[in-house]
Amino acid sequence: MIDTADMLRAFAPHRGNSIVIPGRGGRHWTEISDQPNRDLPVGDPAMGGHASFGLGVALSLPEERVILFDSEGDVLMNMGALPTIAEKAPANFYHFMLDNECYATTGGQPVPNAKNIAYDVIAKGSGYPATYAFDNLEDFASSIEEILGQPGPVFVALKVEPEVENTPIGARVRWQTRSRTQVIDDLKGELGIEGP
Amino acid sequence: MTQHAEGELSPEVVMAEMKKNGVTHVVWLPDSETNFLYLLMEADPDLDLIPVSREGQAFSTAAGLTVGGKKPVILIQNTGMMESGDSLRGWGLSLNIPVVMMVGYRGWTRHGVNTDTAATYTERFLNAFGIQYYLVESGEDAPRISVAFEEASRTRRPVAVLVGDEYHGFNR
């Protein structure tokens, strides 16, 4: 199992100018990122949509490298997004998936068949040309260059430690420092994108 | 090319509305009612088709495309739209995504009695989310599609076009 913050710190030096959608890793990434205006920490607008959102961003900005930190709960909720990503095959899209084997934000209940799913195999079977799976930080850290050095879409499954929350949602401390719409407007400003 | 009688809503008219409004991507889930449109869209080199396998994916995909400065349209059926409630809320409304969704109005009838619950709940669903919608039944109604695009852009909200061509062409 990998500590999510450690994993993101290992990834950070390889980020370059990539657009990063931190997904479930957003809490840590906002403290690590050195280019917040190139990040899209939109939180969790509706569970299951991050992969398709990442696809849309990647297709709309083919000159930019787009990196998504998805979760296994999200992927399970909309597994049909994987064949769409594979069909559209955005060469600039890198799909990392944090697998903590549970629904951490609701108290840590296991996802279906939590310990026996090979997400990298599912991604491969969906048509991703390259897939990886890691359960320790050292192997992941030594492979980041290889992962990002090839054309996308690439899928990377990462076994991470659960960060279980039991506090009622309304009582949790917000880690977001900007609203979702501000995050989007900041990225558009950074890239010079006009329009609504 | 399929021939259409005067007044019918033809796929060519719908395509012309998309082009007029600068649509770059069509995010859609194919169904028999839109097959004629599919053939035209597929043949158009300026349109990028993105097939999804569950309609909720269309809203998050469209959100991503919009963030990057593109202009997607969502093409789905009313059944799938109702399945997509949380995605419409989260990825459409809460991110202020100005997207037009063209919704095949399965079961719509202006004559006789509706017997399809897909039609029964379509407008109630849209009203519950506060989504403005425009009914398009024939070629004469086609300019409403442009009205929907203008409204989506101005309000930064999803707007629906209900395709209720009862007997002919696009929605048969």
Side-chain angles (χ1 to χ4, degrees):
Chain A
M1 288 283 197
I2 302 169
D3 178 86
T4 298
D6 287 346
M7 181 277 293
L8 290 171
R9 278 191 283 269
F11 158 75
H14 302 273
R15 180 239 180 101
N17 281 325
S18 303
I19 293 169
V20 176
I21 306 167
R24 302 282 169 184
R27 172 188 308 278
H28 301 295
W29 184 249
T30 49
E31 296 174 358
I32 296 169
S33 173
D34 60 356
Q35 297 186 76
N37 284 354
R38 284 184 162 265
D39 296 335
L40 281 168
V42 291
D44 184 20
M47 191 168 176
H50 269 108
S52 300
F53 180 68
L55 170 67
V57 175
L59 290 176
S60 64
L61 298 167
E63 305 303 320
E64 304 284 346
R65 187 166 65 181
V66 176
I67 291 171
L68 166 67
F69 289 97
D70 208 348
S71 83
E72 96 283 18
D74 285 270
V75 168
L76 283 169
M77 201 171 271
N78 258 325
M79 208 171 262
L82 301 181
T84 296
I85 292 167
E87 177 179 319
K88 299 308 293 183
N92 58 334
F93 187 49
Y94 298 82
H95 189 174
F96 295 80
M97 190 204 72
L98 312 181
D99 173 16
N100 62 10
E101 300 182 354
C102 69
Y103 297 109
T105 57
T106 61
Q109 306 89 340
V111 301
N113 208 20
K115 295 187 178 301
N116 299 298
I117 306 177
Y119 295 99
D120 58 320
V121 175
I122 292 170
K124 190 74 174 174
S126 297
Y128 277 65
T131 64
Y132 297 81
F134 299 98
D135 61 6
N136 71 81
L137 183 62
E138 293 71 28
D139 289 348
F140 170 67
S142 64
S143 301
I144 298 175
E145 262 190 52
E146 176 188 316
I147 291 166
L148 297 178
Q150 62 193 296
V154 179
F155 184 91
V156 183
L158 299 159
K159 284 284 186 187
V160 299
E161 296 282 354
E163 297 175 358
V164 175
E165 295 183 83
N166 277 312
T167 311
I169 285 179
R172 292 177 192 171
V173 177
R174 281 180 59 82
W175 55 263
Q176 292 92 339
T177 56
R178 297 174 286 166
S179 69
R180 290 170 178 155
T181 51
Q182 186 63 52
V183 161
I184 292 170
D185 288 345
D186 287 348
L187 178 75
K188 286 184 165 184
E190 176 77 13
L191 300 180
I193 298 171
E194 296 180 354
Chain B
M1 184 72 68
T2 308
Q3 296 299 312
H4 295 274
E6 189 176 349
E8 290 181 12
L9 180 62
S10 73
E12 290 82 1
V13 167
V14 176
M15 276 285 289
E17 287 291 322
M18 287 188 191
K19 304 282 279 190
K20 187 165 69 179
N21 286 284
V23 169
T24 58
H25 295 74
V26 180
V27 190
W28 82 318
L29 203 155
D31 67 316
S32 58
E33 295 166 344
T34 55
N35 192 48
F36 284 124
L37 188 58
Y38 169 63
L39 297 174
L40 282 181
M41 294 190 302
E42 193 183 38
D44 190 321
D46 296 330
L47 278 183
D48 193 352
L49 306 190
I50 304 178
V52 295
S53 47
R54 185 77 263 182
E55 287 84 350
Q57 295 162 21
F59 291 94
S60 41
T61 306
L65 289 163
T66 304
V67 166
K70 300 303 182 186
K71 191 163 187 179
V73 66
I74 292 171
L75 182 62
I76 55 178
Q77 198 177 57
N78 51 354
T79 48
M81 177 188 71
M82 288 187 273
E83 167 80 11
S84 307
D86 194 44
S87 295
L88 167 61
R89 175 200 62 78
W91 293 100
L93 291 167
S94 83
L95 294 186
N96 295 348
I97 301 302
V99 67
V100 168
M101 48 178 168
M102 299 196 59
V103 180
Y105 201 165
R106 199 192 86 180
W108 161 254
T109 179
R110 183 171 286 280
H111 308 285
V113 178
N114 165 42
T115 57
D116 189 338
T117 55
T120 303
Y121 296 111
T122 294
E123 292 181 52
R124 298 179 194 181
F125 175 94
L126 289 165
N127 286 328
F129 282 86
I131 302 288
Q132 180 63 282
Y133 59 89
Y134 295 90
L135 178 63
V136 173
E137 296 180 279
S138 68
E140 292 177 350
D141 296 332
R144 290 180 180 169
I145 297 173
S146 285
V147 171
F149 275 104
E150 185 281 325
E151 182 164 334
S153 180
R154 176 170 44 80
T155 62
R156 297 183 71 177
R157 288 172 60 89
V159 174
V161 171
L162 297 178
V163 181
D165 181 10
E166 196 172 15
Y167 298 116
H168 310 291
F170 184 65
N171 195 27
R172 67 183 167 188

